[in-house]
Amino acid sequence: MQEKLTAIQARVLQAVRRRVDHGEPVPTYRELCSEFGWGSTGTARDHLCALERKGYVELAGGHRQLRLREEHPPVARVPLVGRVVAGVPVTAEENVEHRVPVPAEWTGRGTCFALRVAGDSMRDAGILDGDQVVVRQQSTAHDGDIVVATLDGETTLKRLRVRGQRRTLVAENPRFRPIDIRTESAIVQGVVVGLLRAYDAHTVARRPNVLATRGAHAHRA
């Protein structure tokens, strides 16, 4: 069992954990001094050594060589955007509702965002009304990828199928017809890399500003 922390030790641990949860490097001694107003890096070192002695972190001696001993997986926070508009950066601040935590392994080194889904055209791929999909922002995709694509100003979530020069957006629900991509204005906004689901999905689905999977159109705010 880990020893109880003092108030300042708990704050230092929280500062380290916050950086790790955001996918950032652990803070240096100087960064901790700046955050807590300490005049000496020795103070930061002493608090980290206390955290190591009590079993909360491991120190390897080198620059930023600190590791949390807790079993919390690394977390990244990605922007949940209300809509995707052609010609506007997906993660432009005016589009961001808030940021949602996701496993850091989903995001890698790329830029990711999340979208809320409305409709059931992707139900057979396990993507349901009210879910949030995590999307890696990129302009290219491979056959079989589930993509967020904008066609003639409207955005949809579908599986991309490529057959020679023909590209088609295919629903995972037999009630919906495939959409042939016949225009240069079609833009792949990104590829789905993860899925988040609230237990009460119906509550989530009633919120505004959602990405539609019904046909090819997105609800607009």
Side-chain angles (χ1 to χ4, degrees):
M1 183 175 179
Q2 293 170 319
E3 293 184 45
K4 186 176 180 179
L5 298 177
T6 66
I8 187 61
Q9 289 167 0
R11 290 176 58 201
V12 172
L13 180 62
Q14 184 180 32
V16 173
R17 184 185 295 136
R18 183 175 62 248
R19 294 282 292 266
V20 172
D21 284 351
H22 282 75
E24 301 172 1
V26 296
T28 64
Y29 293 162
R30 292 189 181 280
E31 287 170 340
L32 287 174
C33 286
S34 176
E35 179 167 347
F36 290 98
W38 299 326
S40 169
T41 56
T43 303
R45 182 183 63 249
D46 289 345
H47 285 304
L48 291 176
C49 286
L51 290 175
E52 182 180 39
R53 186 176 66 253
K54 293 183 177 183
Y56 289 87
V57 303
E58 291 181 2
L59 299 174
H63 179 64
R64 294 191 191 272
Q65 296 301 306
L66 180 153
R67 186 175 72 85
L68 289 172
R69 297 187 64 179
E70 302 164 306
E71 293 302 320
H72 296 299
V75 172
R77 296 183 183 274
V78 300
L80 175 67
V81 299
R83 61 177 180 171
V84 177
V85 180
V88 177
V90 173
T91 55
E93 203 58 40
E94 61 267 26
N95 292 337
V96 176
E97 295 182 12
H98 58 86
R99 293 181 180 271
V100 295
V102 302
E105 64 186 36
W106 289 5
T107 61
R109 295 180 178 272
T111 298
C112 290
F113 59 93
L115 287 170
R116 193 176 293 118
V117 176
D120 62 355
S121 73
M122 295 299 289
R123 69 179 189 189
D124 292 344
I127 301 175
L128 307 179
D129 185 56
D131 288 348
Q132 293 175 8
V133 289
V134 179
V135 183
R136 180 183 297 114
Q137 189 171 351
Q138 58 188 70
S139 59
T140 60
H142 300 290
D143 177 51
D145 286 344
I146 296 177
V147 302
V148 173
T150 302
L151 296 87
D152 301 320
E154 301 293 343
T155 299
T156 189
L157 179 70
K158 295 289 184 290
R159 190 179 298 280
L160 177 67
R161 289 300 182 191
V162 180
R163 298 293 183 268
Q165 297 300 312
R166 183 184 180 188
R167 296 187 301 160
T168 307
L169 295 175
V170 179
E172 294 285 351
N173 183 332
R175 295 194 299 109
F176 295 85
R177 295 181 178 180
I179 304 170
D180 285 329
I181 301 176
R182 302 176 181 274
T183 172
E184 293 298 323
S185 64
I187 302 172
V188 172
Q189 301 284 0
V191 174
V192 172
V193 296
L195 177 73
L196 302 172
R197 176 169 300 151
Y199 180 73
D200 184 2
H202 295 292
T203 298
V204 176
R206 286 196 293 269
R207 296 175 184 170
N209 295 341
V210 293
L211 174 73
T213 63
R214 299 186 182 96
H217 302 291
H219 294 289
R220 291 189 176 276

